[in-house]
Coordinates of all heavy atoms in Angstrom, one line a residue:
A1 N 0.8 -1.2 0.0 CA 0.0 0.0 0.0 C 0.9 1.2 0.0 O 2.1 1.2 0.2 CB -0.9 0.0 1.2
L2 N 0.3 2.3 -0.2 CA 0.9 3.6 0.0 C 0.7 4.0 1.4 O -0.5 4.1 1.9 CB 0.3 4.7 -1.0 CG 1.0 6.0 -1.1 CD1 2.4 5.8 -1.7 CD2 0.2 6.9 -2.0
Y3 N 1.7 4.2 2.1 CA 1.6 4.6 3.6 C 1.8 6.1 3.8 O 2.8 6.7 3.3 CB 2.7 3.8 4.3 CG 2.4 2.4 4.6 CD1 2.4 1.4 3.5 CD2 2.0 1.9 5.8 CE1 2.0 0.1 3.7 CE2 1.6 0.6 6.0 CZ 1.7 -0.3 4.9 OH 1.3 -1.6 5.1
Y4 N 0.8 6.6 4.5 CA 0.8 8.1 4.7 C 1.0 8.4 6.1 O 0.5 7.7 7.0 CB -0.6 8.6 4.3 CG -0.9 8.5 2.8 CD1 -1.6 7.4 2.3 CD2 -0.6 9.6 2.0 CE1 -2.0 7.4 1.0 CE2 -0.9 9.5 0.6 CZ -1.6 8.4 0.1 OH -2.0 8.3 -1.2
C5 N 1.7 9.5 6.3 CA 1.8 10.1 7.6 C 0.8 11.2 7.7 O 0.6 11.9 6.7 CB 3.2 10.7 7.8 SG 3.5 11.6 9.3
A6 N 0.2 11.4 8.8 CA -0.9 12.4 9.0 C -0.7 13.0 10.4 O -0.2 12.4 11.3 CB -2.2 11.8 8.8
A7 N -1.3 14.2 10.5 CA -1.2 15.0 11.7 C -2.5 15.7 11.9 O -3.1 16.2 11.0 CB 0.0 15.9 11.8
K8 N -2.9 15.8 13.2 CA -4.0 16.7 13.5 C -3.8 17.3 14.9 O -3.1 16.8 15.7 CB -5.3 15.8 13.6 CG -5.4 14.8 14.7 CD -6.7 14.1 14.7 CE -6.9 13.1 15.8 NZ -7.1 13.8 17.1
S9 N -4.4 18.5 15.1 CA -4.3 19.2 16.3 C -5.6 19.2 17.1 O -5.7 19.5 18.3 CB -3.8 20.6 16.1 OG -4.7 21.3 15.3
S10 N -6.7 18.9 16.4 CA -8.0 18.9 17.0 C -8.3 17.6 17.8 O -7.8 16.6 17.5 CB -9.1 19.1 16.0 OG -9.0 18.1 15.0
N11 N -9.1 17.8 18.8 CA -9.5 16.6 19.6 C -10.7 15.9 19.1 O -11.8 16.0 19.6 CB -9.8 17.1 21.1 CG -9.9 16.0 22.0 OD1 -9.5 14.9 21.8 ND2 -10.6 16.2 23.1
V12 N -10.4 15.1 18.0 CA -11.4 14.3 17.4 C -10.9 12.9 17.2 O -9.7 12.6 17.5 CB -11.8 14.9 16.0 CG1 -12.5 16.2 16.2 CG2 -10.6 15.1 15.1
A13 N -11.7 12.0 16.8 CA -11.4 10.6 16.8 C -10.2 10.4 15.9 O -10.0 11.0 14.8 CB -12.6 9.8 16.3
I14 N -9.3 9.5 16.4 CA -8.0 9.2 15.7 C -8.1 8.3 14.5 O -7.2 8.2 13.7 CB -7.0 8.7 16.7 CG1 -7.4 7.3 17.2 CG2 -6.7 9.7 17.8 CD1 -6.3 6.7 18.1
Y15 N -9.2 7.6 14.4 CA -9.3 6.5 13.5 C -9.8 6.9 12.1 O -9.7 6.1 11.1 CB -10.2 5.4 14.0 CG -9.8 4.9 15.4 CD1 -10.5 5.2 16.5 CD2 -8.7 4.1 15.5 CE1 -10.1 4.8 17.8 CE2 -8.3 3.6 16.8 CZ -9.0 4.0 17.9 OH -8.6 3.6 19.1
A16 N -10.4 8.0 12.0 CA -11.0 8.5 10.7 C -10.0 9.4 10.0 O -9.5 10.4 10.5 CB -12.3 9.2 11.0
S17 N -9.7 9.0 8.8 CA -8.8 9.8 8.0 C -9.2 11.2 7.8 O -8.4 12.2 7.7 CB -8.5 9.1 6.6 OG -9.7 9.0 5.9
G18 N -10.5 11.4 7.7 CA -11.1 12.8 7.5 C -10.8 13.7 8.6 O -11.0 14.9 8.4
N19 N -10.4 13.2 9.7 CA -10.2 14.1 10.9 C -8.7 14.7 10.9 O -8.4 15.4 11.8 CB -10.4 13.3 12.2 CG -11.9 13.0 12.4 OD1 -12.7 13.7 11.9 ND2 -12.1 12.0 13.2
Y20 N -7.9 14.3 9.9 CA -6.6 14.8 9.9 C -6.4 15.8 8.8 O -6.8 15.6 7.7 CB -5.6 13.6 9.6 CG -5.5 12.7 10.8 CD1 -6.5 11.7 11.0 CD2 -4.4 12.7 11.6 CE1 -6.3 10.8 12.1 CE2 -4.3 11.9 12.7 CZ -5.3 10.9 12.9 OH -5.1 10.1 14.0
A21 N -5.9 17.0 9.2 CA -5.8 18.1 8.3 C -4.5 18.1 7.5 O -4.5 18.7 6.4 CB -5.9 19.4 9.1
Y22 N -3.5 17.4 8.0 CA -2.2 17.4 7.3 C -1.7 16.1 6.9 O -1.8 15.1 7.7 CB -1.1 18.1 8.3 CG -1.6 19.4 8.8 CD1 -2.0 19.6 10.1 CD2 -1.6 20.5 8.0 CE1 -2.4 20.8 10.6 CE2 -2.0 21.8 8.4 CZ -2.4 21.9 9.7 OH -2.8 23.1 10.2
W23 N -1.3 16.0 5.7 CA -0.9 14.7 5.1 C 0.4 14.8 4.3 O 0.6 15.8 3.7 CB -2.0 14.1 4.2 CG -3.2 13.8 4.9 CD1 -4.3 14.6 5.2 CD2 -3.6 12.5 5.3 NE1 -5.3 13.9 5.8 CE2 -4.9 12.6 5.9 CE3 -3.0 11.2 5.3 CZ2 -5.5 11.5 6.5 CZ3 -3.6 10.1 5.8 CH2 -4.9 10.3 6.4
G24 N 1.2 13.8 4.4 CA 2.3 13.7 3.5 C 1.8 13.1 2.1 O 0.6 12.8 1.9
Q25 N 2.7 12.9 1.2 CA 2.4 12.4 -0.1 C 2.5 10.9 -0.1 O 2.0 10.3 -1.1 CB 3.4 12.9 -1.1 CG 3.2 14.4 -1.4 CD 1.8 14.7 -1.9 OE1 1.0 15.4 -1.3 NE2 1.5 14.2 -3.1
G26 N 2.9 10.3 0.9 CA 3.0 8.8 1.0 C 4.3 8.2 0.6 O 5.0 8.8 -0.2
T27 N 4.6 7.1 1.1 CA 5.7 6.3 0.7 C 5.2 4.9 0.4 O 4.5 4.3 1.2 CB 6.8 6.3 1.8 OG1 8.0 5.6 1.3 CG2 6.3 5.6 3.1
Q28 N 5.6 4.4 -0.7 CA 5.1 3.1 -1.2 C 5.8 1.9 -0.6 O 7.1 1.9 -0.5 CB 5.3 3.0 -2.7 CG 4.8 1.7 -3.3 CD 3.3 1.6 -3.3 OE1 2.5 2.5 -3.4 NE2 2.8 0.3 -3.0
V29 N 5.0 1.0 -0.1 CA 5.5 -0.3 0.4 C 5.0 -1.4 -0.4 O 3.8 -1.5 -0.6 CB 5.1 -0.5 1.9 CG1 5.5 -1.9 2.4 CG2 5.8 0.5 2.8
T30 N 5.9 -2.1 -1.0 CA 5.5 -3.2 -1.9 C 6.1 -4.5 -1.4 O 7.4 -4.6 -1.2 CB 5.9 -3.0 -3.3 OG1 5.4 -1.7 -3.8 CG2 5.5 -4.1 -4.2

């Protein structure tokens, strides 16, 4: 998969990708 790093500062659920405002471009793991 493409593995993404993400960050959030708001106190919302950690499991939903939509709760993260900042994302990297991903690094591919094959």
Side-chain angles (χ1 to χ4, degrees):
L2 193 63
Y3 283 72
Y4 294 92
C5 177
K8 69 180 182 73
S9 60
S10 56
N11 187 22
V12 292
I14 64 173
Y15 306 106
S17 62
N19 289 338
Y20 290 80
Y22 307 106
W23 293 85
Q25 292 299 114
T27 185
Q28 179 68 40
V29 173
T30 302

